[in-house]
Amino acid sequence: MRKLYLFTVLIISVQTAVAGYLDGFHAEKVSSHVYVIHGPLELPNENNEGFMNNPAFVITDDGVVVIDPGSSVHTGNMLLREIRKVTELPVIAVFDTHVHGDHWLGNDAIQRNYPDADIYAHHKTISMIDSGEGKSWLELMHSMTKGATDGTHIVNAEEALNGGEALSIGGHQFQVIHHGQAHTVTDIMILHMKDNVLFTGDNVSNKRLIRMADASFKGNIEIIEAAKNLKPAIVVPGHGKTGGAELLDNYHTYLSTLYSNVSKYFDEDLSDFEMKPKIHVELTNYHDWSGYEDELGKHISGAYLEIEAAAF
Ligand SMILES: [Zn+2]
């Protein structure tokens, strides 16, 4: 009896410790059918359990459609907790916007609770996760969070998309947009037609500069232009608060200002570190964005390499 009591106390305290941080997040209704949990803006660490993206869900006539269930099974469970506050309908589908693990590792929680849910992703997301990216992301999350994401298993999407699809799920239409290499080679954006809500994945970020190590700056600028042509009423970015179409303009201006200036100074034979202070001055509106100090230099080097490669 005593043993059982001790065991119970231990379990409860472990659960409290693990669940504490994620307890503080709640879904916000952003349109008639769409809810978003806005994740923190800092990088994965022990305290935030790797949670940093914007898990979202759509309540359709027959069930719930999830977009990007987050960085771990724990984040996925937190998302399911929030879904259950607004509906008893089951999760029937998931979209993973791209291969980066902070967006899709939460698939594990969905599959454990709703094994019949269809998980959709671009076919390159699926093949890259299968051929090693999945394991790398699991290990990266483990090391960045000092084990806080442990217990998460790789659950890959099975429904492969190319882009250009118009899917009917639960009586709602979802349009899938892919534009070659943008934030990665694997991105899909999802337009929920009924509410005119665009889920951009990491092709758009709000008040946070994000990793562009796998990106094409030119491709990312182009996919945002395609997004603007869709004229969404509401834009759910990969990171940062949801807003209107101005989010597309803000991030487009950042990328295009950066790219055009790197291109100009490249033509003037400046090195990437020589152009950095000049470009910093052009980006005054972004100095308060989270990650600016860490990412600007990397973005300039990345754009420089891309422009250099295009010049040959
Ligand atoms: Zn990403």
PDB file of all heavy atoms in Angstrom, residues 212-243:
ATOM      1  N   MET A 212      17.162  29.754 -42.006  1.00  0.00           N
ATOM      2  CA  MET A 212      16.974  29.686 -43.459  1.00  0.00           C
ATOM      3  C   MET A 212      18.026  28.757 -44.064  1.00  0.00           C
ATOM      4  O   MET A 212      18.314  28.846 -45.256  1.00  0.00           O
ATOM      5  CB  MET A 212      17.094  31.096 -44.060  1.00  0.00           C
ATOM      6  CG  MET A 212      15.966  32.037 -43.655  1.00  0.00           C
ATOM      7  SD  MET A 212      14.387  31.623 -44.446  1.00  0.00           S
ATOM      8  CE  MET A 212      14.603  32.417 -46.064  1.00  0.00           C
ATOM      9  N   ALA A 213      18.575  27.858 -43.241  1.00  0.00           N
ATOM     10  CA  ALA A 213      19.673  27.002 -43.693  1.00  0.00           C
ATOM     11  C   ALA A 213      19.277  26.098 -44.857  1.00  0.00           C
ATOM     12  O   ALA A 213      20.111  25.701 -45.660  1.00  0.00           O
ATOM     13  CB  ALA A 213      20.181  26.158 -42.525  1.00  0.00           C
ATOM     14  N   ASP A 214      18.003  25.759 -44.970  1.00  0.00           N
ATOM     15  CA  ASP A 214      17.538  24.873 -46.041  1.00  0.00           C
ATOM     16  C   ASP A 214      16.747  25.636 -47.103  1.00  0.00           C
ATOM     17  O   ASP A 214      16.059  25.029 -47.930  1.00  0.00           O
ATOM     18  CB  ASP A 214      16.624  23.781 -45.443  1.00  0.00           C
ATOM     19  CG  ASP A 214      17.327  22.981 -44.359  1.00  0.00           C
ATOM     20  OD1 ASP A 214      18.525  22.687 -44.533  1.00  0.00           O
ATOM     21  OD2 ASP A 214      16.683  22.665 -43.340  1.00  0.00           O
ATOM     22  N   ALA A 215      16.824  26.965 -47.048  1.00  0.00           N
ATOM     23  CA  ALA A 215      15.914  27.788 -47.857  1.00  0.00           C
ATOM     24  C   ALA A 215      16.522  28.241 -49.176  1.00  0.00           C
ATOM     25  O   ALA A 215      17.737  28.275 -49.362  1.00  0.00           O
ATOM     26  CB  ALA A 215      15.506  29.019 -47.053  1.00  0.00           C
ATOM     27  N   SER A 216      15.653  28.611 -50.098  1.00  0.00           N
ATOM     28  CA  SER A 216      15.995  29.473 -51.224  1.00  0.00           C
ATOM     29  C   SER A 216      15.350  30.820 -50.925  1.00  0.00           C
ATOM     30  O   SER A 216      14.129  30.907 -50.763  1.00  0.00           O
ATOM     31  CB  SER A 216      15.432  28.907 -52.525  1.00  0.00           C
ATOM     32  OG  SER A 216      15.298  29.957 -53.479  1.00  0.00           O
ATOM     33  N   PHE A 217      16.173  31.860 -50.801  1.00  0.00           N
ATOM     34  CA  PHE A 217      15.607  33.195 -50.522  1.00  0.00           C
ATOM     35  C   PHE A 217      14.688  33.614 -51.653  1.00  0.00           C
ATOM     36  O   PHE A 217      13.589  34.122 -51.432  1.00  0.00           O
ATOM     37  CB  PHE A 217      16.740  34.212 -50.322  1.00  0.00           C
ATOM     38  CG  PHE A 217      17.393  34.078 -48.974  1.00  0.00           C
ATOM     39  CD1 PHE A 217      18.384  33.118 -48.759  1.00  0.00           C
ATOM     40  CD2 PHE A 217      17.004  34.864 -47.909  1.00  0.00           C
ATOM     41  CE1 PHE A 217      18.967  32.961 -47.512  1.00  0.00           C
ATOM     42  CE2 PHE A 217      17.579  34.719 -46.653  1.00  0.00           C
ATOM     43  CZ  PHE A 217      18.565  33.762 -46.462  1.00  0.00           C
ATOM     44  N   LYS A 218      15.160  33.391 -52.890  1.00  0.00           N
ATOM     45  CA  LYS A 218      14.364  33.774 -54.059  1.00  0.00           C
ATOM     46  C   LYS A 218      13.047  32.997 -54.078  1.00  0.00           C
ATOM     47  O   LYS A 218      11.982  33.561 -54.298  1.00  0.00           O
ATOM     48  CB  LYS A 218      15.182  33.455 -55.323  1.00  0.00           C
ATOM     49  CG  LYS A 218      14.790  34.224 -56.543  1.00  0.00           C
ATOM     50  CD  LYS A 218      15.957  34.218 -57.532  1.00  0.00           C
ATOM     51  CE  LYS A 218      15.574  34.931 -58.815  1.00  0.00           C
ATOM     52  NZ  LYS A 218      14.744  34.102 -59.699  1.00  0.00           N
ATOM     53  N   GLY A 219      13.139  31.685 -53.819  1.00  0.00           N
ATOM     54  CA  GLY A 219      11.935  30.843 -53.813  1.00  0.00           C
ATOM     55  C   GLY A 219      10.975  31.235 -52.706  1.00  0.00           C
ATOM     56  O   GLY A 219       9.754  31.219 -52.891  1.00  0.00           O
ATOM     57  N   ASN A 220      11.527  31.612 -51.551  1.00  0.00           N
ATOM     58  CA  ASN A 220      10.674  32.009 -50.426  1.00  0.00           C
ATOM     59  C   ASN A 220       9.953  33.326 -50.752  1.00  0.00           C
ATOM     60  O   ASN A 220       8.771  33.490 -50.448  1.00  0.00           O
ATOM     61  CB  ASN A 220      11.529  32.142 -49.155  1.00  0.00           C
ATOM     62  CG  ASN A 220      10.722  31.993 -47.875  1.00  0.00           C
ATOM     63  OD1 ASN A 220      11.224  31.496 -46.864  1.00  0.00           O
ATOM     64  ND2 ASN A 220       9.468  32.441 -47.870  1.00  0.00           N
ATOM     65  N   ILE A 221      10.677  34.248 -51.409  1.00  0.00           N
ATOM     66  CA  ILE A 221      10.054  35.514 -51.817  1.00  0.00           C
ATOM     67  C   ILE A 221       8.914  35.221 -52.808  1.00  0.00           C
ATOM     68  O   ILE A 221       7.814  35.765 -52.700  1.00  0.00           O
ATOM     69  CB  ILE A 221      11.122  36.454 -52.445  1.00  0.00           C
ATOM     70  CG1 ILE A 221      12.098  36.944 -51.350  1.00  0.00           C
ATOM     71  CG2 ILE A 221      10.464  37.630 -53.172  1.00  0.00           C
ATOM     72  CD1 ILE A 221      13.380  37.563 -51.879  1.00  0.00           C
ATOM     73  N   GLU A 222       9.176  34.287 -53.725  1.00  0.00           N
ATOM     74  CA  GLU A 222       8.165  33.960 -54.744  1.00  0.00           C
ATOM     75  C   GLU A 222       6.927  33.289 -54.156  1.00  0.00           C
ATOM     76  O   GLU A 222       5.799  33.571 -54.580  1.00  0.00           O
ATOM     77  CB  GLU A 222       8.776  33.070 -55.828  1.00  0.00           C
ATOM     78  CG  GLU A 222       9.707  33.845 -56.752  1.00  0.00           C
ATOM     79  CD  GLU A 222      10.549  32.945 -57.660  1.00  0.00           C
ATOM     80  OE1 GLU A 222      10.346  31.711 -57.666  1.00  0.00           O
ATOM     81  OE2 GLU A 222      11.429  33.506 -58.339  1.00  0.00           O
ATOM     82  N   ILE A 223       7.113  32.392 -53.190  1.00  0.00           N
ATOM     83  CA  ILE A 223       5.936  31.714 -52.634  1.00  0.00           C
ATOM     84  C   ILE A 223       5.085  32.713 -51.844  1.00  0.00           C
ATOM     85  O   ILE A 223       3.861  32.597 -51.800  1.00  0.00           O
ATOM     86  CB  ILE A 223       6.296  30.459 -51.790  1.00  0.00           C
ATOM     87  CG1 ILE A 223       5.055  29.557 -51.637  1.00  0.00           C
ATOM     88  CG2 ILE A 223       6.873  30.795 -50.448  1.00  0.00           C
ATOM     89  CD1 ILE A 223       5.300  28.212 -50.967  1.00  0.00           C
ATOM     90  N   ILE A 224       5.723  33.718 -51.258  1.00  0.00           N
ATOM     91  CA  ILE A 224       4.922  34.746 -50.550  1.00  0.00           C
ATOM     92  C   ILE A 224       4.125  35.563 -51.574  1.00  0.00           C
ATOM     93  O   ILE A 224       2.978  35.934 -51.316  1.00  0.00           O
ATOM     94  CB  ILE A 224       5.807  35.652 -49.674  1.00  0.00           C
ATOM     95  CG1 ILE A 224       6.498  34.816 -48.591  1.00  0.00           C
ATOM     96  CG2 ILE A 224       4.963  36.751 -49.020  1.00  0.00           C
ATOM     97  CD1 ILE A 224       7.511  35.581 -47.756  1.00  0.00           C
ATOM     98  N   GLU A 225       4.727  35.801 -52.743  1.00  0.00           N
ATOM     99  CA  GLU A 225       3.973  36.509 -53.791  1.00  0.00           C
ATOM    100  C   GLU A 225       2.769  35.680 -54.237  1.00  0.00           C
ATOM    101  O   GLU A 225       1.661  36.212 -54.431  1.00  0.00           O
ATOM    102  CB  GLU A 225       4.903  36.873 -54.951  1.00  0.00           C
ATOM    103  CG  GLU A 225       5.768  38.085 -54.574  1.00  0.00           C
ATOM    104  CD  GLU A 225       7.047  38.246 -55.393  1.00  0.00           C
ATOM    105  OE1 GLU A 225       7.229  37.510 -56.387  1.00  0.00           O
ATOM    106  OE2 GLU A 225       7.857  39.112 -55.015  1.00  0.00           O
ATOM    107  N   ALA A 226       2.964  34.371 -54.367  1.00  0.00           N
ATOM    108  CA  ALA A 226       1.838  33.485 -54.705  1.00  0.00           C
ATOM    109  C   ALA A 226       0.779  33.533 -53.606  1.00  0.00           C
ATOM    110  O   ALA A 226      -0.428  33.530 -53.879  1.00  0.00           O
ATOM    111  CB  ALA A 226       2.343  32.049 -54.904  1.00  0.00           C
ATOM    112  N   ALA A 227       1.236  33.583 -52.360  1.00  0.00           N
ATOM    113  CA  ALA A 227       0.302  33.654 -51.219  1.00  0.00           C
ATOM    114  C   ALA A 227      -0.504  34.950 -51.264  1.00  0.00           C
ATOM    115  O   ALA A 227      -1.712  34.951 -50.995  1.00  0.00           O
ATOM    116  CB  ALA A 227       1.077  33.556 -49.899  1.00  0.00           C
ATOM    117  N   LYS A 228       0.159  36.047 -51.617  1.00  0.00           N
ATOM    118  CA  LYS A 228      -0.550  37.340 -51.681  1.00  0.00           C
ATOM    119  C   LYS A 228      -1.652  37.305 -52.734  1.00  0.00           C
ATOM    120  O   LYS A 228      -2.727  37.877 -52.544  1.00  0.00           O
ATOM    121  CB  LYS A 228       0.446  38.468 -51.976  1.00  0.00           C
ATOM    122  CG  LYS A 228       1.263  38.846 -50.741  1.00  0.00           C
ATOM    123  CD  LYS A 228       2.512  39.630 -51.076  1.00  0.00           C
ATOM    124  CE  LYS A 228       2.235  41.074 -51.429  1.00  0.00           C
ATOM    125  NZ  LYS A 228       3.448  41.920 -51.345  1.00  0.00           N
ATOM    126  N   ASN A 229      -1.389  36.592 -53.837  1.00  0.00           N
ATOM    127  CA  ASN A 229      -2.393  36.486 -54.904  1.00  0.00           C
ATOM    128  C   ASN A 229      -3.644  35.730 -54.461  1.00  0.00           C
ATOM    129  O   ASN A 229      -4.713  35.889 -55.050  1.00  0.00           O
ATOM    130  CB  ASN A 229      -1.800  35.792 -56.141  1.00  0.00           C
ATOM    131  CG  ASN A 229      -0.807  36.694 -56.851  1.00  0.00           C
ATOM    132  OD1 ASN A 229      -0.891  37.922 -56.737  1.00  0.00           O
ATOM    133  ND2 ASN A 229       0.138  36.111 -57.560  1.00  0.00           N
ATOM    134  N   LEU A 230      -3.508  34.896 -53.437  1.00  0.00           N
ATOM    135  CA  LEU A 230      -4.669  34.159 -52.925  1.00  0.00           C
ATOM    136  C   LEU A 230      -5.600  35.056 -52.110  1.00  0.00           C
ATOM    137  O   LEU A 230      -6.719  34.668 -51.804  1.00  0.00           O
ATOM    138  CB  LEU A 230      -4.205  32.979 -52.045  1.00  0.00           C
ATOM    139  CG  LEU A 230      -3.360  31.903 -52.722  1.00  0.00           C
ATOM    140  CD1 LEU A 230      -2.775  30.957 -51.672  1.00  0.00           C
ATOM    141  CD2 LEU A 230      -4.198  31.118 -53.741  1.00  0.00           C
ATOM    142  N   LYS A 231      -5.103  36.224 -51.717  1.00  0.00           N
ATOM    143  CA  LYS A 231      -5.863  37.209 -50.937  1.00  0.00           C
ATOM    144  C   LYS A 231      -6.532  36.601 -49.688  1.00  0.00           C
ATOM    145  O   LYS A 231      -7.759  36.706 -49.490  1.00  0.00           O
ATOM    146  CB  LYS A 231      -6.909  37.913 -51.810  1.00  0.00           C
ATOM    147  CG  LYS A 231      -6.310  38.608 -53.030  1.00  0.00           C
ATOM    148  CD  LYS A 231      -7.157  39.747 -53.514  1.00  0.00           C
ATOM    149  CE  LYS A 231      -6.614  40.446 -54.760  1.00  0.00           C
ATOM    150  NZ  LYS A 231      -5.144  40.632 -54.794  1.00  0.00           N
ATOM    151  N   PRO A 232      -5.732  35.968 -48.842  1.00  0.00           N
ATOM    152  CA  PRO A 232      -6.315  35.405 -47.609  1.00  0.00           C
ATOM    153  C   PRO A 232      -6.768  36.517 -46.659  1.00  0.00           C
ATOM    154  O   PRO A 232      -6.164  37.594 -46.624  1.00  0.00           O
ATOM    155  CB  PRO A 232      -5.147  34.624 -46.996  1.00  0.00           C
ATOM    156  CG  PRO A 232      -3.924  35.319 -47.503  1.00  0.00           C
ATOM    157  CD  PRO A 232      -4.263  35.805 -48.891  1.00  0.00           C
ATOM    158  N   ALA A 233      -7.831  36.229 -45.909  1.00  0.00           N
ATOM    159  CA  ALA A 233      -8.296  37.193 -44.903  1.00  0.00           C
ATOM    160  C   ALA A 233      -7.442  37.090 -43.650  1.00  0.00           C
ATOM    161  O   ALA A 233      -7.187  38.075 -42.969  1.00  0.00           O
ATOM    162  CB  ALA A 233      -9.758  36.910 -44.561  1.00  0.00           C
ATOM    163  N   ILE A 234      -7.023  35.857 -43.364  1.00  0.00           N
ATOM    164  CA  ILE A 234      -6.259  35.594 -42.141  1.00  0.00           C
ATOM    165  C   ILE A 234      -5.043  34.768 -42.499  1.00  0.00           C
ATOM    166  O   ILE A 234      -5.128  33.830 -43.299  1.00  0.00           O
ATOM    167  CB  ILE A 234      -7.148  34.865 -41.108  1.00  0.00           C
ATOM    168  CG1 ILE A 234      -8.256  35.829 -40.627  1.00  0.00           C
ATOM    169  CG2 ILE A 234      -6.331  34.371 -39.910  1.00  0.00           C
ATOM    170  CD1 ILE A 234      -9.406  35.151 -39.971  1.00  0.00           C
ATOM    171  N   VAL A 235      -3.908  35.131 -41.896  1.00  0.00           N
ATOM    172  CA  VAL A 235      -2.662  34.424 -42.163  1.00  0.00           C
ATOM    173  C   VAL A 235      -2.137  33.851 -40.845  1.00  0.00           C
ATOM    174  O   VAL A 235      -1.907  34.595 -39.885  1.00  0.00           O
ATOM    175  CB  VAL A 235      -1.617  35.373 -42.794  1.00  0.00           C
ATOM    176  CG1 VAL A 235      -0.259  34.679 -42.925  1.00  0.00           C
ATOM    177  CG2 VAL A 235      -2.099  35.870 -44.160  1.00  0.00           C
ATOM    178  N   VAL A 236      -1.962  32.520 -40.824  1.00  0.00           N
ATOM    179  CA  VAL A 236      -1.373  31.842 -39.664  1.00  0.00           C
ATOM    180  C   VAL A 236       0.074  31.538 -40.027  1.00  0.00           C
ATOM    181  O   VAL A 236       0.333  30.665 -40.864  1.00  0.00           O
ATOM    182  CB  VAL A 236      -2.118  30.537 -39.318  1.00  0.00           C
ATOM    183  CG1 VAL A 236      -1.505  29.881 -38.080  1.00  0.00           C
ATOM    184  CG2 VAL A 236      -3.609  30.799 -39.110  1.00  0.00           C
ATOM    185  N   PRO A 237       1.039  32.268 -39.446  1.00  0.00           N
ATOM    186  CA  PRO A 237       2.441  32.038 -39.803  1.00  0.00           C
ATOM    187  C   PRO A 237       3.004  30.813 -39.091  1.00  0.00           C
ATOM    188  O   PRO A 237       2.381  30.288 -38.165  1.00  0.00           O
ATOM    189  CB  PRO A 237       3.120  33.321 -39.305  1.00  0.00           C
ATOM    190  CG  PRO A 237       2.311  33.727 -38.106  1.00  0.00           C
ATOM    191  CD  PRO A 237       0.881  33.293 -38.392  1.00  0.00           C
ATOM    192  N   GLY A 238       4.189  30.364 -39.515  1.00  0.00           N
ATOM    193  CA  GLY A 238       4.833  29.230 -38.854  1.00  0.00           C
ATOM    194  C   GLY A 238       5.215  29.544 -37.421  1.00  0.00           C
ATOM    195  O   GLY A 238       5.158  28.696 -36.542  1.00  0.00           O
ATOM    196  N   HIS A 239       5.635  30.793 -37.205  1.00  0.00           N
ATOM    197  CA  HIS A 239       6.023  31.258 -35.868  1.00  0.00           C
ATOM    198  C   HIS A 239       5.526  32.686 -35.701  1.00  0.00           C
ATOM    199  O   HIS A 239       5.567  33.478 -36.633  1.00  0.00           O
ATOM    200  CB  HIS A 239       7.551  31.224 -35.713  1.00  0.00           C
ATOM    201  CG  HIS A 239       8.139  29.858 -35.933  1.00  0.00           C
ATOM    202  ND1 HIS A 239       8.284  28.935 -34.923  1.00  0.00           N
ATOM    203  CD2 HIS A 239       8.585  29.254 -37.066  1.00  0.00           C
ATOM    204  CE1 HIS A 239       8.818  27.821 -35.411  1.00  0.00           C
ATOM    205  NE2 HIS A 239       9.005  27.977 -36.722  1.00  0.00           N
ATOM    206  N   GLY A 240       5.061  33.016 -34.508  1.00  0.00           N
ATOM    207  CA  GLY A 240       4.572  34.374 -34.228  1.00  0.00           C
ATOM    208  C   GLY A 240       3.061  34.457 -34.372  1.00  0.00           C
ATOM    209  O   GLY A 240       2.403  33.516 -34.841  1.00  0.00           O
ATOM    210  N   LYS A 241       2.521  35.612 -33.985  1.00  0.00           N
ATOM    211  CA  LYS A 241       1.062  35.762 -33.906  1.00  0.00           C
ATOM    212  C   LYS A 241       0.376  35.736 -35.278  1.00  0.00           C
ATOM    213  O   LYS A 241       0.921  36.214 -36.271  1.00  0.00           O
ATOM    214  CB  LYS A 241       0.718  37.090 -33.221  1.00  0.00           C
ATOM    215  CG  LYS A 241       1.033  37.118 -31.741  1.00  0.00           C
ATOM    216  CD  LYS A 241       0.026  36.319 -30.942  1.00  0.00           C
ATOM    217  CE  LYS A 241       0.346  36.319 -29.440  1.00  0.00           C
ATOM    218  NZ  LYS A 241      -0.266  35.204 -28.724  1.00  0.00           N
ATOM    219  N   THR A 242      -0.828  35.212 -35.277  1.00  0.00           N
ATOM    220  CA  THR A 242      -1.693  35.244 -36.467  1.00  0.00           C
ATOM    221  C   THR A 242      -2.114  36.685 -36.744  1.00  0.00           C
ATOM    222  O   THR A 242      -2.251  37.492 -35.824  1.00  0.00           O
ATOM    223  CB  THR A 242      -2.931  34.365 -36.170  1.00  0.00           C
ATOM    224  OG1 THR A 242      -2.499  33.012 -36.041  1.00  0.00           O
ATOM    225  CG2 THR A 242      -3.976  34.463 -37.271  1.00  0.00           C
ATOM    226  N   GLY A 243      -2.333  36.998 -38.022  1.00  0.00           N
ATOM    227  CA  GLY A 243      -2.778  38.345 -38.388  1.00  0.00           C
ATOM    228  C   GLY A 243      -3.476  38.320 -39.726  1.00  0.00           C
ATOM    229  O   GLY A 243      -3.979  37.273 -40.168  1.00  0.00           O
TER     230      GLY A 243
END
